[in-house]
Amino acid sequence: MYVTEAGDEIFVIDSHAHVWDARPQNRRNHYGQTFIDTFYGAHVGLTPANRRWDRERFDYYGAQGAATDLFEDGYCDLAVMLPVYLRDFYVNGFNTTELCSTLKDLFPDKVILNGRFDPRDGQMGLDKLEEDFEKFRFNGVKLYTAEWNGVSRGYSLKDPFVAPYLEKCRKLGIRNIHIHKGPTTHPLDYDAFDVRDIDYIATSFPDLNFIVDHCGLPRIDDFCFIAGQEPNVYGGLALVASYIHARPKYFANMMSDLLFFVGPDRLLFGSDYAITSPQWIIEKFMEFEFDEETAQEAGTPLTLEVKRKILGLNAAKLYGVAVPSRFQASAVQ
């Protein structure tokens, strides 16, 4: 948890975290290097100089390193793990459910482990989803629509082979569908992360929650108007939050738009760990205030109550986490 100078206790859930292995021995080809190179470039460009990692640690930090960064130094009460396999680039996968589970093994009460699926895998993928669910009992999955899969370099959520997977999620009781809709990473294709297929599945599956990770950045406008009409669409602030240091005005403008169109109840804090770490982002977010003009544009001020919701309470509702009463927004009226 984070404690303010006034003694207010803030419950924190990092809703976007990974444990990855990008070491040279795990790279299948040069794309495995260019992918992690892009990530490291973002790390250096967005992270305060005194919080940056060296490249070796960035490639592989392991479960214990993640535990220190998230739970000891990073103020997080829980972390949501979002796997991204990328087996076309990495021999054993980049950030698999199994690798993320090594952190849950260390801290079972602090880790919300999610699964994943690739709907291009047909019946084999449906069987694997059910097998993984029986093993890990997750209630969320991560979709990475620009992931390469053989000759395919991405897919749309409007493709007919997607719906059977969402039906399977519905049947298994998996309600939280995280979808990467943000900037591209070399060599992935920009248009495969286009956010304009979200309304299609959100309307078709109103009983599922669609968490759009990165809020469609840089397509924030598209995301805002889609989420504004679809009550089961949420904004995952990973990467958006990371701009709070290097581009504070840009961050303010994005947050203003998100609060105006989506509101404070459907935005989830995420650090995108380990591209950036939660500690410094949370510190800066708790200190952050809109200027008068931006506050007017947002319509919703960044009060302590709003920050409580974004930093943990909204994610807790989605994942059924019981939050002690002292952390609730009503406690600070």
Side-chain angles (χ1 to χ4, degrees):
M1 68 180 175
Y2 179 89
V3 182
T4 68
E5 291 184 1
D8 299 296
E9 298 176 328
I10 312 298
F11 190 80
V12 177
I13 298 178
D14 190 331
S15 64
H16 197 119
H18 316 91
V19 178
W20 67 55
D21 182 0
R23 290 175 292 184
Q25 59 267 36
N26 193 36
R27 298 172 195 164
R28 185 178 297 278
N29 47 45
H30 75 282
Y31 293 134
Q33 178 172 340
T34 61
F35 184 87
I36 198 63
D37 284 349
T38 307
F39 270 22
Y40 191 64
H43 171 78
V44 172
L46 297 175
T47 304
N50 64 344
R51 306 292 184 96
R52 294 172 188 163
W53 296 0
D54 62 44
R55 179 55 190 266
E56 185 176 1
R57 182 169 190 257
F58 189 80
D59 284 353
Y60 182 78
Y61 45 89
Q64 188 56 62
T68 299
D69 294 329
L70 293 166
F71 306 132
E72 295 181 26
D73 299 334
Y75 307 112
C76 296
D77 295 281
L78 292 94
V80 179
M81 311 306 293
L82 299 179
V84 179
Y85 280 30
L86 298 172
R87 291 197 186 276
D88 280 36
F89 306 157
Y90 295 95
V91 177
N92 297 311
F94 175 64
N95 167 54
T96 62
T97 303
E98 287 77 12
L99 190 53
C100 289
S101 73
T102 60
L103 180 59
K104 188 171 180 64
D105 290 342
L106 290 178
F107 291 92
D109 297 329
K110 289 181 173 290
V111 174
I112 296 172
L113 181 65
N114 276 356
R116 55 80 74 179
F117 64 75
D118 186 330
R120 294 167 293 183
D121 290 340
Q123 185 60 49
M124 180 179 65
L126 287 168
D127 294 342
K128 178 61 174 173
L129 174 60
E130 189 159 2
E131 177 185 330
D132 287 347
F133 174 78
E134 292 299 325
K135 180 178 180 180
F136 296 111
R137 290 292 169 176
F138 43 74
N139 60 2
V141 290
K142 175 64 180 282
L143 280 64
Y144 210 71
T145 57
E147 183 170 359
W148 289 15
N149 189 334
V151 298
S152 172
R153 289 172 52 160
Y155 63 94
S156 168
L157 297 172
K158 295 181 180 181
D159 287 331
F161 49 73
V162 175
Y165 279 78
L166 296 177
E167 293 284 3
K168 174 68 74 171
C169 286
R170 178 186 273 165
K171 179 181 178 182
L172 295 174
I174 300 169
R175 290 291 179 262
N176 297 320
I177 315 297
H178 289 256
I179 307 167
H180 179 110
K181 292 292 186 179
T184 189
T185 304
H186 193 271
L188 305 177
D189 296 341
Y190 181 83
D191 61 352
F193 283 141
D194 195 322
V195 74
R196 290 175 295 179
D197 54 1
I198 294 294
D199 58 335
Y200 179 83
I201 57 166
T203 299
S204 300
F205 294 88
D207 53 328
L208 301 182
N209 305 310
F210 296 95
I211 301 96
V212 179
D213 292 319
H214 318 298
C215 296
L217 183 70
R219 309 168 185 88
I220 288 283
D221 287 350
D222 286 338
F223 169 75
C224 284
F225 280 91
I226 289 170
Q229 74 178 28
E230 302 288 348
N232 57 334
V233 171
Y234 295 74
L237 295 178
L239 187 60
V240 173
S242 302
Y243 282 98
I244 196 169
H245 166 71
R247 298 288 307 280
K249 290 183 179 179
Y250 185 44
F251 169 76
N253 288 335
M254 288 190 287
M255 283 302 301
S256 174
D257 287 348
L258 290 165
L259 286 169
F260 182 84
F261 289 102
V262 185
D265 297 316
R266 287 190 284 139
L267 299 176
L268 279 61
F269 166 72
S271 68
D272 214 347
Y273 180 82
I275 297 179
T276 50
S277 294
Q279 182 184 37
W280 65 266
I281 301 177
I282 292 169
E283 291 169 353
K284 288 182 177 292
F285 182 65
M286 290 302 299
E287 296 169 357
F288 187 84
E289 302 291 344
F290 287 141
D291 61 37
E292 185 176 346
E293 181 180 0
T294 307
Q296 185 176 1
E297 289 280 322
T300 300
L302 273 175
T303 62
L304 181 60
E305 180 178 353
V306 168
K307 290 178 179 180
R308 281 183 186 272
K309 290 179 178 181
I310 291 172
L311 283 175
L313 299 184
N314 292 341
K317 287 181 180 179
L318 283 182
Y319 280 95
V321 175
V323 179
S325 59
R326 72 181 191 277
F327 294 115
Q328 298 291 346
S330 59
V332 295
Q333 297 296 324

